[in-house]
Amino acid sequence: MIKNYFKTAWRTITKNRVYSLINILGLTIGLGACMIVATVVIDDLSYDRQWSKGDDLYRIITVNKMGDGLYDHWASSLAGLGPELKNKFPEVKASAGISNYKQRIKLNENNPNGVEVSILHADTSIWKMLDFKVLTGNPRKYVEGTRNIVISESFRKKFFSKENPVGKIIYDVPTYSEKATPYLITGVIKDIPSNTVFRSEVIMFNKPGTEHLFKKQGGTLSQNYILMKPGSNMAQFTQKINKWYAGYVEAKNPFQFEFQPVKDIYLHSDFAQSQAVKGSSQNIYILSGVALLLLIIACVNFINLSTARAVQRLRETGVRKILGAGRRQIVFQFLTESVLFFIISAFFATILYQFSLQSVENYLGHALAQTFVSKYYLLISSYGIILLISLFAGIYPAWIMSGFKPAATLKGKLFTGNSTGQNLVRKSLVILQFSISIIVLVSLIIVQQQVHFMKNKDIGFNKNNLLSIGHVSWDGKGQSFKNELLSQQGVVNASITGWLPTEETGSMSTVMDDPHNPGNKITVWFINGDLDLAETLGLHLKSGRFLNKSFSEDAMSQDSMMRMDSAKYVVAAKRQSSVITSYTAKVLNVNTLDIPIQHGATTPVGIVDDFNNESLKVPMEPTIITADNALNYGGMLIRIKPGSERQVTAAINKLWRQFYPDKLLDIQYVDDMLAEQYKSESKLQQLFAFFSGLSMFLAALGIFGLVVQATEQRVKEIGIRKVLGASIKSIVSLFSIDFLKLIIVAIVIASPIAWWLMNKWLMDYAYRIHINWWVFAMAGIIAIGIALLTISFQAIKAAMANPVDSLRSE
């Protein structure tokens, strides 16, 4: 019985090829796009759910509360905290310091540049927390005398394919140490899954730290994890820890701590700027929403085309009813056709999906751990969902087709009365699909504008022709290197600095009283560099002067000051000259230069125009620039002449090898670094461009199918009009006007929805564009243009047909 239904459905599909092709193409694109997006979403939601102890593994989060709702979240905590919690609280089974970032390593000492790899730095307690499958060696046993390293299986295949790497020595490319550090390969492990924040190719091990938890609330900050006993009440534990710590330290404002489940880290770490592997829960919602909208458009096309073909199948339905077919049988027959359409489309969508996976992984920058072709239960589940969608999409056309009265259907009439209700539904569906397309198109334009705005906004300093060398230890040779560099042709200026663009707001921060609101606190950031920093950045002096070596207070040694007792330090710090921004002068109520800031450790001698020392996603903060005459750790900014890039970079490389033969030279263009800050927005722009094109294509495909149906139904009318002298233009207008009215309604409906959605998205940016009216006008014009092209193509074809052929009797 079911077999007969499918045979009939197959004959219907193959008989009406144009209609079937349009439906299958639309559904294939919609289902394929949904499968791709669903893979990304499922993969993002699967992060760190594979660890056997994942339910009890937490990262320690530091909360620095400064009163009046002002506080900072840090993904790091004091290095001595984890071991102290393990020793004092029985709920804590283990603690470990774990961090990951990219680093260069070399397979021998003669390879100066090495290869860049993702490295996980951890102490040996990590073996108690994460499930690493050892393939060769005995890496759980720490070998004394040399730092230990464990490599992944893929790393071994890449660099040690013909030999056993266990027991071999490899080296890092240092930034702070003067010589490369050797590492002993103690084992090979199975590749760490890509769906984890611990994603890396090698693990560098240290023995568990011995740093104590200081009562003065100082010490090294690092990312620390704890493993709790199963079933621990984390709310009670958090409360207990914070109460204990407040009594342990001798500090006016003791830190508080939160414990973030490892499963939440990937999608909920907006406060962790330095986290190497990080996702966005907002992107999950955006991806899911856009994919769902695409699927809705594809289903709307199917429903519209199915109901539009009702006229051509009236006699078929009437004959079946007269021969005894009940409404249930007819509904089942049309549902079978719907299911068959979706099955065929799902097959092609799976092929499309398979060929797209590599491109998706390249776009994401990492492999997908869970896909529909690697996890068959996901594929089976997706096909089950597609089956349900096919039934849902097919039920309306099936119900309508089965409800016709036999006498009316044999005469070619849909209803004995009027068909206003059915036309209204079909028109509503056209409005729906174009409304969705316009919303996506408006979103694309606004995202594109915001990305362009952020990349091109004047940020207060000259980012062009500015090079950056990453943080290193200068080993007492930094000033000599700088002097040699300044003698090179093409180099305009250079500065050793503790802060580089795209890093945090400054080198360090402090909390001061707010002079405008007594009792409130404000965070003030310090940027510490040498005397040439402001001029190298290209800051604009508004009043006063830049820092100068002629004034002894302009550059002081921070190391020397830190060795002073507290009373002398306060006096020396207040004497230290600084340059502040206009915004800082306003916030701190600085009206006169060369006078120490009240409650502040500096004396401003100059005011510069405001500049954005952090991403435009965050608001500007008070910033003070100071100088250190013996800065031994930091990066370097180099101002060069336009057109001298190749010459200068070659000179820098040559000098670097003379001064630091073993150190890593991390040289980048500052404008590239700034653009990298908005990588996620750029990807979102590409995503909307892709989905906008797909949604418009699907909407146009649906319009094309409806026009094909309309021209077939009105072929005699067109012939009569042509015989009576109607022009091609008037016939095209006949078909265009009704559809254009629907698109205009779609524009009216979509515009406020798109404005609300994008205005909400823009609220996440401290500096943002204003949404202009012409954005909606442009989206509307594009939608109308695409619709007109689609309608005109088929309408012109019908209008140019020979009226003699169209007026022949059936």
Side-chain angles (χ1 to χ4, degrees):
M1 186 73 174
I2 295 177
K3 185 177 179 181
N4 291 332
Y5 279 117
F6 274 100
K7 279 184 177 181
T8 305
W10 176 253
R11 282 197 299 270
T12 303
I13 291 173
T14 53
K15 180 181 178 182
N16 305 286
R17 292 177 184 175
V18 175
Y19 157 78
S20 301
L21 184 61
I22 293 173
N23 258 334
I24 290 171
L25 180 59
L27 289 174
T28 297
I29 292 173
L31 293 174
C34 277
M35 289 177 72
I36 291 168
V37 171
T39 300
V40 176
V41 171
I42 290 170
D43 191 71
D44 275 2
L45 294 174
S46 72
Y47 268 66
D48 291 301
R49 278 162 171 74
Q50 67 270 41
W51 310 116
S52 61
K53 299 173 184 176
D55 291 337
D56 304 307
L57 187 58
Y58 298 85
R59 180 170 67 178
I60 304 176
I61 304 299
T62 302
V63 182
N64 183 20
K65 292 193 174 181
M66 296 170 281
D68 299 309
L70 186 65
Y71 64 91
D72 280 338
H73 271 84
W74 304 333
S76 53
S77 55
L78 295 167
L81 180 63
E84 193 73 20
L85 294 180
K86 181 181 178 299
N87 293 333
K88 288 189 177 295
F89 298 93
E91 301 98 317
V92 181
K93 293 180 65 178
S95 70
I98 308 172
S99 59
N100 58 338
Y101 45 85
K102 290 192 178 294
Q103 185 176 335
R104 286 192 169 270
I105 61 174
K106 49 190 178 181
L107 305 181
N108 56 68
E109 288 186 284
N110 300 321
N111 181 11
N113 294 322
V115 292
E116 187 178 69
V117 295
S118 299
I119 292 181
L120 193 67
H121 285 259
D123 65 51
T124 52
S125 299
I126 195 175
W127 292 108
K128 301 176 184 177
M129 298 180 171
L130 303 178
D131 313 301
F132 298 128
K133 184 178 179 181
V134 178
L135 301 178
T136 59
N138 186 20
R140 288 187 175 88
K141 183 179 179 182
Y142 191 86
V143 179
E144 300 288 348
T146 306
R147 292 191 179 181
N148 293 189
I149 190 170
V150 173
I151 65 174
S152 65
E153 185 179 16
S154 60
F155 187 87
R156 182 193 66 78
K157 289 178 180 178
K158 190 185 298 183
F159 298 107
F160 298 97
S161 59
K162 298 180 180 179
E163 55 186 327
N164 181 10
V166 176
K168 292 189 177 297
I169 300 290
I170 60 177
Y171 302 83
D172 66 1
V173 182
T175 52
Y176 290 102
S177 60
E178 196 166 349
K179 294 290 183 182
T181 303
Y183 288 85
L184 173 67
I185 300 177
T186 59
V188 179
I189 60 171
K190 191 174 179 61
D191 286 350
I192 298 173
S194 59
N195 57 336
T196 173
V197 293
F198 306 115
R199 185 195 307 152
S200 54
E201 296 171 81
V202 302
I203 307 175
M204 288 183 173
F205 283 100
N206 299 310
K207 297 193 73 174
T210 57
E211 184 174 312
H212 296 291
L213 186 63
F214 300 104
K215 289 185 175 291
K216 294 294 185 182
Q217 195 165 256
T220 307
L221 287 173
S222 60
Q223 289 204 37
N224 297 298
Y225 293 77
I226 58 171
L227 179 66
M228 301 293 293
K229 286 185 177 179
S232 298
N233 187 318
M234 292 308 295
Q236 293 179 4
F237 179 74
T238 303
Q239 189 176 11
K240 181 167 64 172
I241 292 301
N242 287 323
K243 183 178 179 181
W244 162 79
Y245 184 77
Y248 179 85
V249 295
E250 300 168 1
K252 185 182 294 185
N253 293 311
F255 295 145
Q256 293 189 10
F257 303 102
E258 297 174 354
F259 300 91
Q260 185 180 27
V262 71
K263 295 178 180 179
D264 293 346
I265 293 175
Y266 179 71
L267 290 176
H268 303 285
S269 295
D270 295 336
F271 52 86
Q273 287 82 5
S274 60
Q275 185 174 313
V277 181
K278 183 164 58 175
S280 168
S281 56
Q282 183 188 59
N283 285 348
I284 293 287
Y285 299 131
I286 292 173
L287 279 171
S288 303
V290 173
L292 183 62
L293 293 178
L294 279 177
L295 183 61
I296 289 173
I297 292 176
C299 290
V300 164
N301 280 347
F302 176 79
I303 294 170
N304 257 348
L305 291 175
S306 297
T307 53
R309 282 192 56 78
V311 173
Q312 290 190 341
R313 303 186 66 181
L314 288 177
R315 289 182 176 84
E316 173 194 339
T317 306
V319 169
R320 284 187 180 182
K321 284 200 168 186
I322 289 172
L323 293 176
R327 185 168 192 178
R328 182 181 298 179
Q329 290 173 299
I330 295 174
V331 166
F332 196 83
Q333 178 60 56
F334 283 106
L335 283 180
T336 305
E337 289 180 19
S338 175
V339 170
L340 191 55
F341 266 117
F342 274 82
I343 288 174
I344 295 169
S345 302
F347 172 75
F348 288 115
T350 305
I351 295 173
L352 177 66
Y353 168 82
Q354 177 69 46
F355 281 107
S356 302
L357 275 180
Q358 186 61 54
S359 299
V360 173
E361 290 180 338
N362 292 338
Y363 172 80
L364 295 173
H366 64 84
L368 291 164
Q370 301 202 34
T371 66
F372 288 110
V373 291
S374 66
K375 306 287 185 182
Y376 290 107
Y377 67 89
L378 290 177
L379 185 62
I380 293 169
S381 300
S382 69
Y383 276 28
I385 293 170
I386 289 171
L387 179 62
L388 291 175
I389 293 171
S390 70
L391 294 174
F392 180 77
I395 192 68
Y396 175 74
W399 189 258
I400 295 301
M401 295 285 286
S402 64
F404 302 151
K405 295 184 178 180
T409 56
L410 290 175
K411 294 176 183 179
K413 296 180 180 179
L414 281 169
F415 301 98
T416 53
N418 64 62
S419 57
T420 303
Q422 301 305 317
N423 287 331
L424 181 62
V425 171
R426 200 183 322 167
K427 289 178 180 179
S428 299
L429 292 175
V430 172
I431 291 170
L432 173 62
Q433 61 183 171
F434 266 96
S435 296
I436 292 171
S437 299
I438 291 166
I439 288 170
V440 177
L441 183 56
V442 169
S443 301
L444 166 63
I445 297 171
I446 292 174
V447 170
Q448 195 169 25
Q449 283 185 307
Q450 179 65 17
V451 172
H452 182 269
F453 168 77
M454 291 189 297
K455 287 184 176 180
N456 294 279
K457 180 184 181 296
D458 181 8
I459 54 177
F461 66 87
N462 186 4
K463 64 181 179 179
N464 301 314
N465 306 308
L466 188 62
L467 297 177
S468 163
I469 293 178
H471 289 274
V472 294
S473 167
W474 295 103
D475 302 334
K477 298 181 286 187
Q479 190 60 47
S480 299
F481 176 80
K482 174 184 169 182
N483 292 338
E484 286 288 334
L485 189 59
L486 288 171
S487 68
Q488 302 297 315
Q489 190 174 359
V491 176
V492 177
N493 212 335
S495 172
I496 298 174
T497 169
W499 167 87
L500 292 172
T502 73
E503 294 182 341
E504 291 191 46
T505 314
S507 310
M508 64 177 191
S509 66
T510 188
V511 178
M512 296 184 182
D513 293 321
D514 185 349
H516 298 285
N517 298 290
N520 283 356
K521 301 288 185 181
I522 53 176
T523 301
V524 179
W525 286 88
F526 286 80
I527 291 177
N528 195 27
D530 65 19
L531 291 163
D532 298 317
L533 178 58
E535 291 173 284
T536 303
L537 279 170
L539 300 179
H540 304 290
L541 188 64
K542 190 173 182 181
S543 62
R545 63 177 177 83
F546 283 126
L547 301 177
N548 192 301
K549 63 181 178 182
S550 302
F551 299 87
S552 59
E553 287 83 10
D554 280 15
M556 303 174 72
S557 172
Q558 291 295 324
D559 287 343
S560 300
M561 290 173 64
M562 292 301 292
R563 288 193 289 269
M564 298 177 181
D565 61 45
S566 57
K568 289 182 178 179
Y569 176 83
V570 170
V571 174
K574 283 198 172 187
R575 273 201 338 263
Q576 183 176 24
S577 303
S578 64
V579 172
I580 64 175
T581 63
S582 296
Y583 177 70
T584 309
K586 181 180 179 182
V587 169
L588 297 181
N589 205 20
V590 175
N591 299 312
T592 307
L593 297 174
D594 299 308
I595 296 176
I597 296 175
Q598 188 176 11
H599 307 299
T602 183
T603 298
V605 298
I607 298 176
V608 295
D609 287 339
D610 292 329
F611 68 99
N612 294 98
N613 46 329
E614 202 174 0
S615 163
L616 295 176
K617 298 176 186 179
V618 297
M620 189 177 294
E621 297 208 50
T623 303
I624 296 172
I625 300 174
T626 58
D628 190 327
N629 60 11
L631 200 64
N632 201 35
Y633 298 93
M636 180 176 285
L637 292 171
I638 306 162
R639 174 74 58 191
I640 65 174
K641 293 178 181 177
S644 65
E645 294 85 357
R646 184 176 298 180
Q647 178 185 352
V648 171
T649 51
I652 293 172
N653 275 280
K654 184 178 178 180
L655 277 175
W656 190 264
R657 291 299 160 223
Q658 293 174 10
F659 279 81
Y660 307 102
D662 293 316
K663 282 187 186 289
L664 173 66
L665 173 60
D666 178 20
I667 185 168
Q668 299 181 68
Y669 288 95
V670 169
D671 54 353
D672 289 340
M673 295 165 61
L674 293 169
E676 185 70 14
Q677 291 182 114
Y678 311 116
K679 186 177 179 180
S680 61
E681 285 77 16
S682 296
K683 282 186 175 290
L684 188 63
Q685 176 187 341
Q686 295 168 11
L687 194 71
F688 271 115
F690 175 73
F691 281 129
S692 179
L694 278 186
S695 65
M696 278 296 173
F697 176 76
L698 288 174
L701 197 65
I703 286 282
F704 179 76
L706 291 176
V707 173
V708 169
Q709 295 297 319
T711 54
E712 287 179 359
Q713 293 169 17
R714 302 174 70 176
V715 65
K716 284 187 170 56
E717 177 189 343
I718 295 170
I720 293 170
R721 286 177 180 271
K722 287 197 71 176
V723 169
L724 295 176
S727 65
I728 293 176
K729 181 181 176 182
S730 65
I731 293 173
V732 171
S733 299
L734 178 70
F735 287 94
S736 301
I737 291 172
D738 287 342
F739 285 108
L740 289 181
K741 287 178 182 177
L742 300 180
I743 295 169
I744 290 170
V745 173
I747 294 169
V748 172
I749 292 172
S751 295
I753 297 172
W755 178 89
W756 180 80
L757 288 172
M758 295 316 296
N759 191 60
K760 192 172 182 180
W761 178 75
L762 287 170
M763 292 300 289
D764 288 337
Y765 297 88
Y767 302 90
R768 52 186 178 265
I769 61 167
H770 295 289
I771 302 176
N772 295 305
W773 64 268
W774 60 261
V775 171
F776 306 99
M778 179 185 287
I781 290 169
I782 292 172
I784 290 171
I786 291 172
L788 278 176
L789 284 174
T790 306
I791 295 165
S792 300
F793 176 79
Q794 183 62 26
I796 291 172
K797 181 181 175 183
M800 293 180 69
N802 190 339
V804 175
D805 296 332
S806 60
L807 292 173
R808 284 176 182 168
S809 63
E810 300 178 359

